[in-house]
């Protein structure tokens, strides 16, 4: 059974038909890449899954439960965390306060502290800067904070929207290393990326989107070799 | 003698400013979190005052109990107003619709009060008492009401700041004020948080009403309108959305108003208050403590 299953999803923004009947699935333990050009609808899909925008029709199943109409604030405690596009850290709160916000729905103080230590271990920079106001972090540090914040909810599946956007190559490499190690730790990952090469390198499978539909899908390794992908997304 | 009267005006100004500050907190919190101007906020003050008056004169309750009931009443009223009038419009995408509705709610509250209590001025019996306290060896007489008002404002500020810094609900308010979408992803119930904000703001409005009417003991259905507008100005003055800003803005406004009345002209005092506001906004458009809103990419 798929961990996350999207069935014939349709999403509109007013008159704009942004997602035109998309189906795909993510199995437990996989890293799935969702790639595609600007405006293809990648962010819209993640927003639909976590309830930030309403869907017109179709179904979203998470671990067998229909979450199509579940409000956004009830999603995270079900075990799904979303690192949004543009990071969206709480810029006026400190790093530590942001991380605590990630554990908002959790009750057990000891478990929260364990998660915090785990996040600090994964992102030593965040620990060094735990009392810094998040808005003053560099872009790469903010990305780490957004990821750390999401991990504070101890998710079974992590949705990430363009974590490499606007980062220098060194940071990009670091972020991708972290994504891999999170996945190796047993967290399922759905990764939206413009950086198709990097995404395909760490993914098990991938879906390629084009203006609201899925144009292509398959094993990530095969897609890396696909001529059309090479031309359109890998710049070769 | 000149210094003493100046000091006395100053203290009265701080006291009036304290009332503005408590009202301004409601404006600024609602603006920061729900991104709307609740122009009915001033009228909640008036309703709270009528509740206290009725509880004391018709039911013979003791002042403290009456104030407690008014706070509860206004808290519930605030939640109700938000649920019935504003929430249905929240996703309509038109800030103007919400603004007009708020003005409508304001008139509605005034007319309800008019219907129940009539247009005649009711004299409000001070909840605090009219005792005068001699200070500085008896040269300076300060009323108990003034002292209680200033103290209330300071306590409210401290408690509210601690609430926001230290409690989960307070942190949720900060998160919602900054980014509703990201807050929802954290598991924060945005509607609940907005509701809580209205509850707190309206409860504070009841306290402000009692303090105001204890200092200026006449109550009509329009009593809340002008202080409401002034408190809104105070909130903008201090930087709308900022809690310390509401405090500073309120106090400054009260002091400027009372000193203008005392030394320049009673008629012109409001004009002077607004002129100062305009100057401040020209120099710093976001208000004294307002943050420059940064557009995120
Ligand atoms: N709030 C909105 N209102 C109207 N149209 C929108 C809105 N958000 C997105 N769209 C449109 O929906 C389509 C899909 O947008 P989406 O943000 O999902 O694309 P994306 O694949 O994430 O792009 P990018 O790689 O640039 O982030 C685009 O045509 C976009 O213009
Ligand atoms: Mg996007």
């Amino acid at each position: 059974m798929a961990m996350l299953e999207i069935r014939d999803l349709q999403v509109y923004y007013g008159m704009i038909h942004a997602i035109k009947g998309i189906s795909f699935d993510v199995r437990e333990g996989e890293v799935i890449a969702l790639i595609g050009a600007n405006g293809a609808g990648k962010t819209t899909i993640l927003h639909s899954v976590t309830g930030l925008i309403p869907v017109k029709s179709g179904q979203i199943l998470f671990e067998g439960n229909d979450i199509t109409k579940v409000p956004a604030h009830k999603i995270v405690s079900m075990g799904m965390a979303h690192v949004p596009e543009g990071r969206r850290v709480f810029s006026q709160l400190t790093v530590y306060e942001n991380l605590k916000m990630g554990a908002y729905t959790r009750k057990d103080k000891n478990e929260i502290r364990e998660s915090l230590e785990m996040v600090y271990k994964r992102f030593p920079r965040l620990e060094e800067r735990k009392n810094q106001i998040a808005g003053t972090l560099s872009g790469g540090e903010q990305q780490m904070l957004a990821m750390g914040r999401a991990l504070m909810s101890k998710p079974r599946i992590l949705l990430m929207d363009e974590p490499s956007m606007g980062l220098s190559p060194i940071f990009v490499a670091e972020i991708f290393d972290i994504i891999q190690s999170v996945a190796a730790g047993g967290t399922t990952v759905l990764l939206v990326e413009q950086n198709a090469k990097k995404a395909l390198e760490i993914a098990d499978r991938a879906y390629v989107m084009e203006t609201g539909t899925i144009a292509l899908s398959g094993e990530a390794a095969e897609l890396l070799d696909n001529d059309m992908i090479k031309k359109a997304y890998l710049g070769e | 003698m000149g210094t003493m009267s100046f000091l006395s005006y100053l203290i009265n100004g701080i006291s009036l400013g304290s009332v503005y500050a408590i009202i301004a907190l409601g404006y600024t919190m609602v603006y920061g979190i729900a991104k709307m101007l609740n122009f009915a906020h001033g009228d909640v003050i008036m309703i709270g005052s009528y509740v206290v008056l009725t509880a004391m004169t018709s039911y013979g309750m003791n002042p403290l109990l009456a104030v407690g009931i008014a706070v509860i009443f206004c808290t519930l009223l605030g939640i109700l107003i938000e649920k019935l009038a504003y929430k249905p419009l929240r996703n309509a995408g038109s800030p103007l619709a919400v603004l007009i509705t708020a003005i409508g709610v304001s008139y509605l509250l005034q007319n309800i009060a008019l219907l129940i209590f009539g247009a005649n001025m009711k004299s409000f019996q001070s909840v605090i008492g009219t005792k005068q306290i001699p200070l500085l060896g008896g040269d300076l007489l300060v009323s108990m009401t003034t002292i209680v008002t200033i103290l209330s404002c300071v306590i409210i500020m401290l408690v509210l700041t601690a609430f926001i810094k230290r409690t989960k609900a307070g942190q949720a308010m900060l998160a919602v004020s900054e980014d509703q979408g990201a807050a929802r992803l954290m598991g924060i119930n945005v509607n609940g948080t907005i509701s809580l904000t209205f509850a707190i703001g309206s409860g504070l409005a009841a306290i402000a009403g009692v303090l105001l009417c204890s200092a200026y003991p006449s109550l009509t259905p329009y009593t809340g309108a002008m202080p409401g507008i002034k408190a809104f100005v105070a909130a903008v003055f201090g930087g709308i959305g900022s809690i310390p800003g509401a405090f500073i803005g309120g106090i400054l406004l009260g002091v400027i108003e009372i000193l203008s009345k005392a030394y320049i002209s009673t008629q012109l005092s409001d004009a002077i208050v607004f002129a100062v506001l305009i100057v401040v906004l020209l120099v710093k458009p976001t208000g004294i403590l307002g943050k420059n809103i940064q557009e995120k990419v």
Side-chain angles (χ1 to χ4, degrees):
Chain A
M1 188 187 68
M3 185 177 208
L4 179 64
E5 187 174 353
I6 315 294
R7 288 188 194 151
D8 196 24
L9 188 71
Q10 308 261 359
V11 182
Y12 285 79
Y13 292 106
M15 301 297 290
I16 299 168
H17 197 179
I19 302 296
K20 304 164 185 166
I22 277 184
S23 303
F24 69 91
D25 59 56
V26 180
R27 284 173 234 139
E28 189 166 356
E30 278 188 316
V31 175
I32 297 296
L34 195 57
I35 60 179
N38 288 111
K42 308 179 294 294
T43 299
T44 303
I45 287 190
L46 294 195
H47 281 189
S48 318
V49 171
T50 44
L52 287 177
I53 51 172
V55 309
K56 176 87 174 178
S57 65
Q59 265 191 320
I60 302 165
L61 302 171
F62 177 52
E63 295 179 333
N65 301 312
D66 187 339
I67 60 164
T68 319
K69 294 209 157 58
V70 174
H73 69 270
K74 298 217 170 118
I75 294 285
V76 67
S77 53
M78 299 177 85
M80 181 186 295
H82 179 169
V83 184
E85 185 175 57
R87 291 130 204 166
R88 291 169 74 172
V89 298
F90 299 110
S91 64
Q92 295 169 37
L93 303 186
T94 64
V95 168
Y96 170 69
E97 286 167 338
N98 266 277
L99 291 174
K100 260 199 342 201
M101 209 57 101
Y104 185 81
T105 55
R106 297 174 65 189
K107 299 267 172 335
D108 189 318
K109 288 218 158 61
N110 288 327
E111 285 184 19
I112 294 175
R113 195 166 344 101
E114 275 169 29
S115 293
L116 187 67
E117 277 161 20
M118 190 270 288
V119 167
Y120 282 155
K121 214 155 99 201
R122 225 184 260 294
F123 304 98
R125 257 170 212 271
L126 294 184
E127 182 162 26
E128 284 161 28
R129 295 162 188 277
K130 61 183 171 200
N131 294 319
Q132 190 171 330
I133 299 293
T136 63
L137 295 173
S138 78
E141 289 161 356
Q142 287 191 14
Q143 186 59 52
M144 290 177 173
L145 180 54
M147 287 170 68
R149 186 179 67 176
L151 290 173
M152 285 299 289
S153 69
K154 226 177 168 186
R156 291 190 293 284
I157 186 168
L158 187 62
L159 277 46
M160 273 183 279
D161 200 340
E162 302 206 29
S164 76
M165 185 168 53
L167 302 187
S168 67
I170 292 175
F171 257 121
V172 173
E174 203 172 333
I175 293 283
F176 274 90
D177 282 348
I178 292 163
I179 297 172
Q180 265 186 309
S181 86
V182 168
T187 308
T188 307
V189 173
L190 175 57
L191 174 65
V192 161
E193 259 301 334
Q194 294 261 352
N195 192 332
K197 187 166 188 310
K198 279 273 181 199
L200 290 175
E201 277 170 8
I202 67 164
D204 298 306
R205 294 186 295 125
Y207 294 89
V208 181
M209 285 190 65
E210 246 164 46
T211 54
T213 57
I214 287 176
L216 205 62
S217 65
E219 301 287 323
E222 286 169 19
L223 291 174
L224 267 173
D225 270 342
N226 180 306
D227 284 339
M228 176 228 154
I229 297 285
K230 276 185 181 170
K231 226 185 249 142
Y233 299 102
L234 304 178
E236 286 174 23
Chain B
M1 191 61 221
T3 15
M4 278 309 146
S5 60
F6 175 77
L7 264 184
S8 141
Y9 289 134
L10 189 65
I11 291 172
N12 282 337
I14 293 174
S15 172
L16 178 63
S18 297
V19 175
Y20 290 155
I22 297 170
I23 309 172
L25 282 172
Y27 267 113
T28 229
M29 286 172 68
V30 164
Y31 179 83
I33 286 152
K35 304 288 179 269
M36 67 162 289
L37 294 172
N38 176 22
F39 274 115
H41 187 55
D43 302 294
V44 176
I45 298 165
M46 171 272 297
I47 299 281
S49 305
Y50 274 116
V51 172
V52 172
L53 187 71
T54 309
M56 283 171 71
T57 52
S58 306
Y59 296 93
M61 284 183 198
N62 81 42
L64 218 58
L65 186 59
V67 173
I69 286 177
V71 169
I72 293 170
F73 188 90
C74 287
T75 302
L76 296 177
L77 179 67
I79 295 173
L80 195 71
I81 291 174
E82 195 276 327
K83 277 259 173 323
L84 294 183
Y86 304 146
K87 191 174 167 213
L89 294 171
R90 198 172 300 145
N91 297 319
S94 164
L96 214 53
V98 183
L99 190 68
I100 291 166
T101 305
I103 294 170
V105 172
S106 166
Y107 281 119
L108 181 70
L109 293 179
Q110 286 176 12
N111 283 297
I112 289 174
L114 207 54
L115 213 63
I116 300 177
F117 302 103
N120 286 342
M121 196 187 86
K122 297 255 197 301
S123 77
F124 193 93
Q125 144 202 13
S126 173
V127 173
I128 300 153
T130 47
K131 218 190 316 166
Q132 301 275 331
I133 314 283
L135 293 177
L136 303 175
D139 288 339
L140 189 63
L141 279 180
V142 178
S143 78
M144 199 60 198
T145 304
T146 304
I147 293 173
V148 170
T149 302
I150 296 172
L151 274 182
S152 305
C153 178
V154 171
I155 291 169
I156 286 169
M157 272 306 298
L158 293 178
V159 170
L160 201 58
T161 309
F163 172 77
I164 286 180
K165 194 76 191 162
R166 308 240 170 273
T167 67
K168 238 174 146 166
Q171 291 280 295
M173 286 177 149
L174 284 181
V176 171
S177 76
E178 194 170 328
D179 187 333
Q180 289 198 4
R184 291 163 78 196
L185 291 180
M186 301 300 109
I188 294 167
N189 180 343
V190 169
N191 285 335
T193 304
I194 291 177
S195 205
L196 176 67
T197 309
F198 270 85
I200 293 175
S202 306
L204 291 179
I207 295 176
V210 172
L211 295 170
L212 185 74
C213 290
S214 296
Y216 303 86
S218 62
L219 181 57
T220 76
Y222 310 106
T223 293
M226 200 56 188
I229 291 175
K230 297 247 185 76
F232 167 62
V233 170
V236 175
F237 210 31
I240 189 127
S242 154
I243 286 175
F247 182 67
I248 292 175
I251 302 284
L252 273 180
L253 202 78
V255 169
I256 295 171
E257 181 178 331
I258 295 289
L259 292 184
S260 314
K261 275 200 176 114
Y263 293 107
I264 305 173
S265 150
T266 311
Q267 280 89 24
L268 280 183
S269 69
D270 285 347
I272 293 169
V273 164
F274 286 97
V276 173
L277 172 77
I278 290 169
V279 172
V280 168
L281 292 186
L282 281 177
V283 178
K284 193 154 187 295
T286 51
I288 298 169
L289 293 186
K291 302 193 184 68
N292 290 314
I293 296 150
Q294 284 164 354
E295 286 298 326
K296 272 183 242 127
V297 263

